[in-house]
Amino acid sequence: MIEFQHVSFAYEKDRPVLRDLSFRIEKGEAVGLIGANGAGKSSVMKLLLGLLQGEGKILVDGVEVRKDTLAEIRRKLGFVLQNSDNQMFMPTVYEDMMFAPLNYMLTREEAEARVDAVLARLHLEHLKHRYNHKISGGEKRMAAIATVLAMEPEAVLMDEPTSALDPYNRRIVINTIRELDQTRIITSHDLDMILDTCDRVILLSEGRIVADGKASVLLRDRELLERNRMELPLSIMGRPE
Amino acid sequence: MNKMQKAITELAEMDELAAQSSPVHSLHPAVKLIAAVAYILVTLSFDKYDLGGLVPMVLWPVLLFQFSDIDVRTCFYKLRIVLPLVMAVGLFNPFFDKTVLLRLGNLPVTGGFLSMLTLMLKGVFCLMASFLLMATTPIDNLCAALRQLHVPKMLVTLLLLTYRYVGVMTDELAVMTDAYHLRAPGQKGIHISAWGSFLGQLLLRSMDRAQELYSSMLLRGYHQHFHYADIKPFRKRDAVTIALCIGCFLVLRSVRIAEVLGRIVVR
Ligand SMILES: Nc1ncnc2c1ncn2[C@@H]1O[C@H](COP(=O)(O)OP(=O)(O)O)[C@@H](O)[C@H]1O
Ligand SMILES: [Mg+2]
């Protein structure tokens, strides 16, 4: 459902951030986009969402990402930002969750039914009427995921969803991601999380794809990971061969 | 929590005040907006020596406080940073204008003194009116009302983003002042030599965040329409309320209530 064809991108001339990326993600796949800091993971997502414009072609369900198709494409893609403080802008969790459905012309009743369904599914009913600035970091991350799910997107993109979370909240986020049935693209250098949530991994280094394959295989390849400034997941490191 | 973080929490609490319910809260946002603008214009139009005429204008905020269940103390507490600035505006008038206009018993009252009081009062009244508007109307509803009044989309989006931007900026300011003081222990304030880079950083960081925030709005379908705001149709009743408010302000403006009352009492 998502396809990159020879995509290149640079913020500043002569300093390419992404070089000739091509890959295809099928409907329902869960793909981990991994790489060291600055590898270009976030940029890939922003290109897909049309927040940045590069060279080459990006297709979502066969429709090219262009200015005139943005509204249609963005409706299909839910993006969980790395910093939840920047994601939530309405006073309460409830209002934030209502924002997208109402913009997409659902009635208040329909939107509210959606919001309640998502909250129930994520076991977050207690957050509904809380103020965004008065909930903890972990709660805010979950609330941010909830606002995106309330859009009922066909694909969910998450930029480092476990960054800055304690182990308990990290586990909650991981379990939530595992239970989603949408197409998922998740960036992270938390490889344990990727191993837990993704079947496939695309490894980026200095703006190029250096590996693309099964998570259970690539994430065991110590040499490959270390060459690209990453380490084996702890869960694999601790396991005898 | 440093002073800045406290200020942010308080700012965010404006949203909480605005989410309460009361007769004032349930007025149409356009009514409150137009009334507030009219009130401010009328207040500013008083002559600089017309203290007696200005004082009765206090009736409007008093009425709003009464019917909105908002505590006057909350207002003054939240405005404690801005109030002194507004009050400082007329502070030098007494030094420039020393003509004696009237006497209270033996005490001569100069034009400067009178105009200082008038200016201060005007400032306080206008601040109170703006505060009451924001404290009884969620920003998104206010924007929706502006759109109903055919204010251009771009302008309304700008207002909305500015409101959010202020939040982001105070947030970053808090983080940065904390970081600064950790590395400059015992120093009060921020040394003047660091102001330039500090301000530059603050702008860059808050602009980055504001950009992300705006992206987040766009990605969730924001297209400069306010379907998501709890918007009510503008009814005849609302127009009548506006007319009534403006009528009252004009009466307050033209009739010297104090004099009328004085005459009645004397009689
Ligand atoms: N707004 C920007 N302006 C200029 N360069 C940027 C900007 N954002 C990111 N970069 C650069 O682009 C590269 C890739 O960034 P990013 O996609 O955020 O990487 P990742 O998410 O993998 O850490 C980095 O070298 C970073 O310094
Ligand atoms: Mg990133």
Side-chain angles (χ1 to χ4, degrees):
Chain A
M1 98 169 260
I2 290 164
E3 190 170 358
F4 273 55
Q5 294 175 355
H6 305 290
V7 174
S8 299
F9 173 74
Y11 286 98
E12 298 149 31
K13 257 204 157 102
D14 306 323
R15 269 199 56 213
V17 169
L18 299 176
R19 311 170 204 220
D20 196 26
L21 294 197
S22 295
F23 60 86
R24 225 184 121 87
I25 293 173
E26 303 302 333
K27 202 171 169 64
E29 260 191 302
V31 178
L33 194 59
I34 62 173
N37 278 332
K41 306 179 294 290
S42 301
S43 305
V44 168
M45 290 201 161
K46 289 182 182 161
L47 281 164
L48 176 56
L49 292 159
L51 293 173
L52 298 174
Q53 278 85 38
E55 286 156 37
K57 246 187 183 181
I58 301 174
L59 303 168
V60 177
D61 280 338
V63 179
E64 189 179 344
V65 179
R66 274 199 322 251
K67 210 165 179 194
D68 53 316
T69 57
L70 273 187
E72 179 190 349
I73 280 168
R74 286 177 175 172
R75 197 171 174 159
K76 295 182 180 174
L77 307 176
F79 183 40
V80 180
L81 276 70
Q82 181 171 357
N83 182 348
S84 308
D85 283 331
N86 297 347
Q87 174 121 36
M88 315 283 282
F89 45 78
M90 298 292 283
T92 64
V93 173
Y94 166 73
E95 285 163 285
D96 233 304
M97 290 182 70
M98 295 284 278
F99 184 81
L102 291 176
N103 275 326
Y104 291 128
M105 304 306 281
L106 265 67
T107 64
R108 282 203 162 255
E109 292 71 35
E110 289 165 337
E112 178 132 15
R114 254 199 210 185
V115 166
D116 286 334
V118 171
L119 286 172
R121 184 159 146 219
L122 303 186
H123 310 291
L124 295 177
E125 291 96 335
H126 60 286
L127 289 186
K128 184 169 176 183
H129 293 294
R130 297 281 298 279
Y131 284 93
N132 280 324
H133 67 280
K134 286 190 174 169
I135 57 181
S136 72
E139 289 171 329
K140 204 176 271 183
R141 188 66 52 86
M142 286 303 293
I145 295 175
T147 59
V148 165
L149 293 183
M151 286 173 69
E152 297 194 346
E154 289 172 30
V156 180
L157 319 179
M158 296 188 178
D159 200 356
E160 318 230 357
T162 53
S163 66
L165 292 186
D166 62 27
Y168 174 79
N169 284 301
R170 177 175 169 277
R171 185 45 59 187
I172 294 181
V173 168
I174 290 177
N175 290 339
T176 306
I177 298 174
R178 285 166 64 114
E179 280 165 24
L180 297 178
D181 42 24
Q182 287 97 338
T183 310
R184 276 149 284 169
I185 306 180
I186 298 161
T187 76
S188 192
H189 35 230
D190 175 356
L191 298 188
D192 281 285
M193 181 268 287
I194 296 289
L195 191 63
D196 269 354
T197 53
C198 300
D199 320 311
R200 175 178 160 199
V201 161
I202 295 176
L203 172 54
L204 277 185
S205 179
E206 291 174 13
R208 284 183 219 278
I209 296 182
V210 290
D212 179 349
K214 275 182 89 90
S216 53
V217 177
L218 290 188
L219 296 180
R220 277 170 201 282
D221 190 338
R222 179 193 296 261
E223 208 246 327
L224 173 74
L225 294 177
E226 285 180 357
R227 198 169 353 116
N228 293 292
R229 294 198 282 140
M230 279 175 298
E231 288 183 344
L232 281 182
L234 286 173
S235 57
I236 287 180
M237 223 190 288
R239 201 182 297 159
E241 281 297 310
Chain B
M1 197 148 63
N2 68 25
K3 268 190 228 149
M4 272 302 156
Q5 275 157 326
K6 205 144 178 280
I8 304 155
T9 325
E10 280 165 26
L11 205 77
E13 276 165 3
M14 284 297 278
D15 292 330
E16 285 180 45
L17 288 180
Q20 292 174 356
S21 57
S22 79
V24 179
H25 285 80
S26 61
L27 282 176
H28 193 286
V31 173
K32 285 181 274 187
L33 177 69
I34 295 175
V37 171
Y39 175 80
I40 289 172
L41 289 179
V42 170
T43 301
L44 293 179
S45 76
F46 278 91
D47 184 77
K48 67 175 175 174
Y49 298 129
D50 194 3
L51 189 60
L54 184 61
V55 168
M57 288 301 284
V58 79
L59 283 174
W60 172 249
V62 166
L63 212 68
L64 287 187
F65 277 119
Q66 190 60 40
F67 289 103
S68 64
D69 283 334
I70 288 172
D71 199 333
V72 186
R73 279 171 302 184
T74 319
C75 171
F76 282 98
Y77 186 70
K78 280 188 196 290
L79 295 179
R80 71 188 181 284
I81 300 172
V82 213
L83 264 176
L85 294 177
V86 171
M87 306 268 287
V89 174
L91 218 52
F92 295 105
N93 287 19
F95 299 103
F96 296 125
D97 182 355
K98 290 186 171 158
T99 40
V100 177
L101 285 189
L102 58 118
R103 289 179 174 278
L104 283 178
N106 284 339
L107 214 63
V109 178
T110 63
F113 186 71
L114 214 56
S115 65
M116 174 185 80
L117 284 184
T118 312
L119 257 175
M120 283 179 172
L121 218 52
K122 280 185 184 179
V124 174
F125 285 179
C126 291
L127 261 182
M128 281 205 287
S130 323
F131 172 86
L132 280 161
L133 174 65
M134 299 308 293
T136 59
T137 321
I139 183 75
D140 299 282
N141 294 3
L142 198 61
C143 289
L146 285 168
R147 284 295 298 141
Q148 273 183 332
L149 298 170
H150 301 288
V151 175
K153 281 183 209 167
M154 274 314 283
L155 231 73
V156 178
T157 298
L158 208 64
L159 173 74
L160 179 64
L161 291 179
T162 309
Y163 181 82
R164 302 243 158 92
Y165 183 68
V166 170
V168 169
M169 195 151 85
T170 42
D171 212 9
E172 284 303 316
L173 191 59
V175 174
M176 285 180 60
T177 39
D178 271 352
Y180 181 89
H181 287 300
L182 283 174
R183 284 181 293 162
Q187 190 175 320
K188 261 208 156 153
I190 287 163
H191 194 265
I192 198 157
S193 64
W195 281 16
S197 57
F198 194 88
L199 267 180
Q201 272 298 313
L202 177 66
L203 275 176
L204 285 179
R205 291 169 60 142
S206 42
M207 268 159 63
D208 273 353
R209 283 198 52 192
Q211 177 95 44
E212 283 234 313
L213 226 144
Y214 187 51
S215 302
S216 167
M217 291 171 65
L218 288 179
L219 292 177
R220 284 194 274 149
Y222 178 72
H223 48 288
Q224 308 196 330
H225 288 276
F226 293 84
H227 307 298
Y228 68 91
D230 196 4
I231 193 163
K232 288 176 263 184
F234 190 80
R235 296 213 195 85
K236 212 181 244 167
R237 205 181 55 199
D238 300 317
V240 173
T241 317
I242 292 181
L244 265 174
C245 292
I246 296 181
C248 289
F249 300 153
L250 292 180
V251 169
L252 283 174
R253 176 72 183 87
S254 51
V255 183
R256 305 285 312 254
I257 302 276
E259 280 170 22
V260 175
L261 281 181
R263 238 173 280 141
I264 293 172
V265 171
V266 167
R267 208 179 290 163

